[in-house]
Amino acid sequence: MAYHWNFSFLFFHYKALLYGCIVMLSLTFLVILLGTALGIILAIMKISPLRPLSLTSSVFIEIFRDLPVVVLLIWFFYFLPLYFNRMVSPFVVSVIALSLYLGAFSAEIFRAGFVSIHKGQIEAAHVLKLSSVQTFWHIIVPLSLKVILPPLAGRYIDTIKTTSLASFITVNELFFQGQNIISQTYRPLEVYTVIGVLYLIIILPLSLLLQRWEHARNKATL
Amino acid sequence: MLEIKQLCKTFGNNTVLKNVNFAVEEGEVAVLLGPSGSGKTTLLRCIAGIEKHDSGNLIFKERSIGLVFQEHYLWDHLRVLDNIMLAPQLVQKREKSEVYRDTLDILLKVRLQDKINHYPHQLSSGQKQRVALARALIMQPKLLLLDEITSSLDPQMIGEVLAIVSNLAQEGMTMLIITHNLSFAQKIGTSFAYMEGGMIIERDGKELFLHPRDERTQRFLAEKIEPG
């Protein structure tokens, strides 16, 4: 049975799709920003010699890594308005839930990077009287990038895709817009094809860019 | 310059330094000799502040210390120039142009002026160790600690590093050196201490090599000078 593909109707919905892309990219940007900051903090806590800090971090990481993202999103969607006793926009809920999720995963990536540095290189900084903060930003972070970058880049790209789950709590991102168009047109195949292509257009160049950056960095340092 | 009184250091149940008394005068090139595991490196690490001693006192006239490790421990992501220039800019808040000028002078001294833009992985092990020396010297230390800096080098690389250390000694740099290279030690050292079991067994001038008083020192030197 032949299926008659017809994409022409999508021209009438390009504004909705474009808006969905903007929401998706904004969500991704904020989640990466907050999730990365949280990941660094959790990683520092986890390698800290202070047992309460490392234990808190381990428990946090374990919980947020083990829960499905959709469960997190829906739980925060119901919990946050109750906790703050006011409406919390689904977009803000998504930023919080997805940042916590990314933070838990990236914490392990950062931790692996930080512990990969030879102790002697940190001691050299200590002897030269660099402060802990200076040692962290000028020595530990750049030296660990080689270990951190490949899995972190993968995690960032995964974050772009994960934002589609925010549609479960009515965030107007690309996937949600697609569902809206389908409910009006009843042509899911064409809509999901276009959504898939849009994801590829966004992710592919980013993926290639990260690969090139990683390659150039590795070439420069070893 | 530096006085060490009754210094003790323990790792778990292992007492590594037992009431160490030691002093280094200005302009002195003190050499620490002793078998592996005798506590020499731990003593240097305590002086440099990497390890915290359990008891005793470290009295500095001026706490300005440079340490070069057995391994170079250069920062792989930075060029030779940046490896050297980072600390004086961040720690001493010196002007970049002034640090750059000093870096060029020091690189000339360690004969690496042509490697300024190289990354550590592009250097030989001897060159890396010379950069590590330059990185310590740029901070203008009053006391330079050298911990077996040639032990991980190929024989042909050892000479080039030792030549630089000899020059530093001639310029009057106060140094505390750990080395297994006895001929080098005798050439540049002004005082010698033998360490074993976490204690300074004896200390002397060049006499230590000729007439060691303690039986343990005699045995160590005999093994070193006439191996096999």
Side-chain angles (χ1 to χ4, degrees), chain A residues 38-114:
Chain A
L38 179 66
I40 292 172
I41 293 166
L42 287 170
I44 294 170
M45 283 170 68
K46 189 155 184 187
I47 56 175
S48 157
L50 299 172
R51 184 91 181 116
L53 282 184
S54 66
L55 194 69
T56 308
S57 170
S58 298
V59 170
F60 182 96
I61 291 169
E62 206 52 49
I63 290 173
F64 282 91
R65 283 204 324 172
D66 293 349
L67 286 171
V69 195
V70 181
V71 173
L72 272 179
L73 279 163
I74 295 173
W75 191 83
F76 276 104
F77 181 68
Y78 288 112
F79 172 75
L80 289 178
L82 272 177
Y83 185 78
F84 291 110
N85 201 23
R86 54 175 288 187
M87 278 293 293
V88 180
S89 90
F91 184 83
V92 173
V93 173
S94 307
V95 170
I96 292 169
L98 295 177
S99 298
L100 292 171
Y101 186 71
L102 175 64
F105 274 95
S106 61
E108 277 301 311
I109 296 171
F110 285 117
R111 187 198 60 81
F114 296 162

Side-chain angles (χ1 to χ4, degrees), chain A residues 3-10 17 21 174-175 178-179 181-182 185 187-202:
Chain A
Y3 180 77
H4 298 288
W5 293 86
N6 176 14
F7 289 95
S8 58
F9 70 93
L10 282 166
L17 290 171
C21 283
L174 185 59
F175 190 76
Q179 285 175 315
I181 297 168
I182 291 164
T185 60
R187 296 200 72 90
L189 213 49
E190 284 87 346
V191 173
Y192 285 131
T193 302
V194 168
I195 287 175
V197 170
L198 286 172
Y199 270 108
L200 278 177
I201 288 171
I202 290 164

Side-chain angles (χ1 to χ4, degrees), chain A residues 116-165:
Chain A
S116 73
I117 299 166
H118 199 290
K119 202 176 142 202
Q121 290 180 309
I122 297 167
E123 286 179 350
H126 179 77
V127 171
L128 291 162
K129 301 277 183 288
L130 265 72
S131 69
S132 303
V133 175
Q134 288 168 337
T135 303
F136 182 73
W137 286 114
H138 293 276
I139 309 299
I140 297 175
V141 169
L143 275 176
S144 58
L145 273 186
K146 208 166 69 179
V147 174
I148 288 172
L149 216 53
L152 193 65
R155 187 47 62 185
Y156 284 168
I157 284 167
D158 204 48
T159 300
I160 303 176
K161 294 186 274 184
T162 311
T163 56
S164 63
L165 296 174

Side-chain angles (χ1 to χ4, degrees), chain B residues 182 186 209 219-227:
Chain B
L182 291 195
Q186 288 182 75
F209 290 95
R219 203 182 320 120
F220 173 80
L221 291 174
E223 280 170 14
K224 282 280 171 187
I225 294 165
E226 294 171 336

Side-chain angles (χ1 to χ4, degrees), chain B residues 7-199:
Chain B
L7 201 77
C8 291
K9 175 70 188 171
T10 307
F11 292 110
N13 295 325
N14 185 20
T15 305
V16 185
L17 297 177
K18 296 173 191 163
N19 296 317
V20 172
N21 291 299
F22 195 74
V24 182
E25 299 301 329
E26 204 164 332
E28 189 178 346
V29 179
V31 179
L32 267 180
L33 303 167
S36 298
S38 58
K40 306 183 299 294
T41 295
T42 305
L43 180 61
L44 244 65
R45 289 169 68 86
C46 284
I47 297 169
I50 300 173
E51 301 287 353
K52 282 199 169 67
H53 53 280
D54 299 328
S55 62
N57 287 316
L58 281 166
I59 305 157
F60 297 92
K61 191 177 164 197
E62 199 173 345
R63 196 174 184 128
S64 166
I65 296 167
L67 168 64
V68 182
F69 301 86
Q70 194 170 338
E71 300 286 330
H72 55 85
Y73 297 137
L74 295 180
W75 301 311
D76 303 325
H77 63 296
L78 298 176
R79 296 174 302 162
V80 166
L81 180 75
D82 304 315
N83 256 285
I84 300 169
M85 287 182 64
L86 185 72
Q89 286 181 95
L90 289 179
V91 179
Q92 298 174 331
K93 311 284 178 207
R94 283 159 63 189
E95 283 292 322
K96 192 175 178 179
S97 56
E98 181 205 328
V99 176
Y100 182 72
R101 221 174 28 246
D102 288 356
T103 302
L104 294 183
D105 287 346
I106 289 172
L107 281 173
L108 204 67
K109 202 182 265 186
V110 297
R111 298 167 205 156
L112 283 173
Q113 62 277 24
D114 55 333
K115 304 290 180 195
I116 196 163
N117 288 317
H118 283 56
Y119 282 93
H121 74 273
Q122 296 169 312
L123 304 175
S124 71
S125 51
Q127 288 169 337
K128 284 177 196 168
Q129 201 57 292
R130 283 188 275 158
V131 176
L133 254 172
R135 188 174 63 177
L137 291 174
I138 193 79
M139 299 299 278
Q140 300 162 336
K142 296 284 181 246
L143 171 64
L144 187 60
L145 310 172
L146 306 179
D147 184 6
E148 293 185 43
I149 57 168
T150 57
S151 64
S152 62
L153 302 183
D154 299 333
Q156 70 265 34
M157 312 259 179
I158 293 174
E160 58 192 39
V161 174
L162 295 186
I164 292 156
V165 178
S166 296
N167 286 344
L168 288 171
Q170 278 167 17
E171 286 170 18
M173 171 70 80
T174 311
M175 289 189 272
L176 177 54
I177 301 174
I178 296 176
T179 181
H180 287 294
N181 188 335
L182 291 195
S183 60
F184 169 68
Q186 288 182 75
K187 192 181 154 202
I188 70 158
T190 54
S191 76
F192 306 87
Y194 177 69
M195 211 173 160
E196 193 178 307
M199 294 182 289

